[in-house]
């Protein structure tokens, strides 16, 4: 089973600043990596798939990078509505696994 | 517009059973593989299992294998999750999701809550 580790657990960023979230896989997952945003009381929302492809209607301030075992989600010019928990998930093989999440707070 | 609507969540005692449904619309249901993902209160996301569009093959997390069964009725545009031998650790919001170009969740339902308690 591929273990996904996200860091930091919580990130506090000022509006307009950049947020950088990390996700590490315990073994290579190639580019089979997705990122989700989840706000309280809501379902997850797909942001990025294939490690770097934005999903439909996702703003350009969200970008993903990385391959193999190290991945990054970057939110440039953070806005108040970006306050949420962000999860990474690999889909390289079974079982599919998620990281523990990074909570992004607005200062 | 893709719409997924889960139902069937309830309060059930340990050892009990439940069937969840996910009604789909806005896309060619039989062509899309689907997944169930759950989230325990205050916790992260946990993959339960996935099924191909034709319903022939499914994969499950070890934690639910042998207890949960995923099926679908393409004539009714509905995905199912049969939950048996429930334990308190199965308490969670259960989401259904469509598969994208890979086994990630493209569109998600709003979830249905299953509470297992004596």
């Amino acid at each position: 089973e591929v273990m996904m580790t996200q860091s930091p657990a919580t990130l506090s960023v000022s509006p307009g600043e950049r947020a950088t979230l990390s996700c590490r896989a315990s073994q290579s997952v190639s580019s089979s990596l997705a990122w989700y945003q989840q706000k309280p009381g809501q379902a997850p929302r797909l942001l990025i798939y294939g490690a770097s492809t934005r999903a439909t209607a996702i703003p350009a301030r969200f970008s993903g990078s990385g391959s193999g075992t190290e991945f990054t989600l970057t939110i440039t010019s953070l806005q108040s509505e970006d306050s949420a928990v962000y999860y990474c998930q690999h889909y390289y093989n079974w079982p599919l696994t998620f990281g523990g999440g990074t909570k992004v707070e607005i200062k | 517009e893709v719409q997924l609507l889960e139902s069937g969540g309830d309060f059930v005692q340990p050892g009990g059973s439940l069937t969840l449904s996910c009604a789909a619309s806005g896309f060619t249901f039989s062509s899309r593989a689907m997944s169930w993902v759950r989230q325990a209160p205050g916790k992260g996301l946990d993959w339960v299992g996935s099924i191909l569009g034709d319903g022939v093959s499914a994969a499950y997390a070890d934690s639910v294998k042998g207890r949960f069964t995923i099926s679908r009725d393409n004539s009714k545009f509905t995905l199912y999750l049969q939950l048996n031998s429930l334990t308190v650790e199965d308490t969670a919001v259960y989401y259904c999701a469509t598969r994208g170009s890979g086994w990630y969740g493209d569109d998600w339902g709003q979830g249905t809550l299953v509470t297992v308690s004596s």
Side-chain angles (χ1 to χ4, degrees):
Chain A
E1 174 174 325
V2 179
M3 304 295 291
M4 307 300 294
T5 303
Q6 291 186 242
S7 62
T10 304
L11 190 59
S12 186
V13 182
S14 299
E17 297 296 306
R18 175 190 300 252
T20 302
L21 290 67
S22 295
C23 174
R24 175 176 293 177
S26 61
Q27 62 191 72
S28 177
V29 297
S30 186
S31 295
S32 299
L33 191 285
W35 289 93
Y36 304 90
Q37 176 193 66
Q38 188 179 35
K39 297 180 179 180
Q42 296 186 16
R45 173 195 183 195
L46 178 67
L47 296 176
I48 301 285
Y49 63 93
S52 61
T53 302
R54 272 190 303 277
T56 304
I58 300 303
R61 66 180 182 275
F62 291 92
S63 64
S65 63
S67 66
T69 62
E70 300 285 342
F71 301 89
T72 300
L73 175 69
T74 302
I75 312 171
T76 57
S77 191
L78 196 77
Q79 300 187 11
S80 57
E81 62 262 34
D82 300 332
S83 177
V85 178
Y86 293 81
Y87 295 96
C88 63
Q89 178 228 324
H90 90 84
Y91 51 96
Y92 184 73
N93 57 13
W94 307 111
L96 311 179
T97 53
F98 292 86
T102 291
K103 183 176 183 179
V104 173
E105 298 177 336
I106 310 298
K107 278 185 182 176
Chain B
E1 178 193 3
V2 172
Q3 291 196 3
L4 300 169
L5 184 62
E6 301 94 336
S7 61
D10 206 345
F11 185 99
V12 61
Q13 293 188 333
S17 299
L18 205 58
T19 299
L20 307 182
S21 300
C22 169
S25 61
F27 63 101
T28 305
F29 183 67
S30 61
S31 299
R32 297 290 291 271
M34 303 286 295
S35 294
W36 286 97
V37 175
R38 66 183 179 180
Q39 186 170 37
K43 303 297 185 182
L45 302 171
D46 182 32
W47 173 71
V48 174
S50 303
I51 188 169
L52 295 179
D54 59 10
V56 170
S57 181
Y60 299 91
D62 284 346
S63 59
V64 307
K65 200 174 295 182
R67 299 189 301 122
F68 291 8
T69 302
I70 301 174
S71 62
R72 60 193 297 160
D73 186 336
N74 287 343
S75 68
K76 296 182 178 179
F77 311 107
T78 302
L79 175 73
Y80 301 100
L81 179 65
Q82 173 71 40
L83 301 80
N84 296 326
S85 304
L86 284 161
T87 72
V88 294
E89 288 74 33
D90 297 317
T91 294
V93 173
Y94 285 74
Y95 297 100
C96 62
T98 61
R99 180 189 188 270
S101 57
W103 285 103
Y104 54 84
D106 202 357
D107 293 284
W108 296 65
Q110 88 293 341
T112 188
L113 176 62
V114 174
T115 303
V116 185
S117 176
S118 55

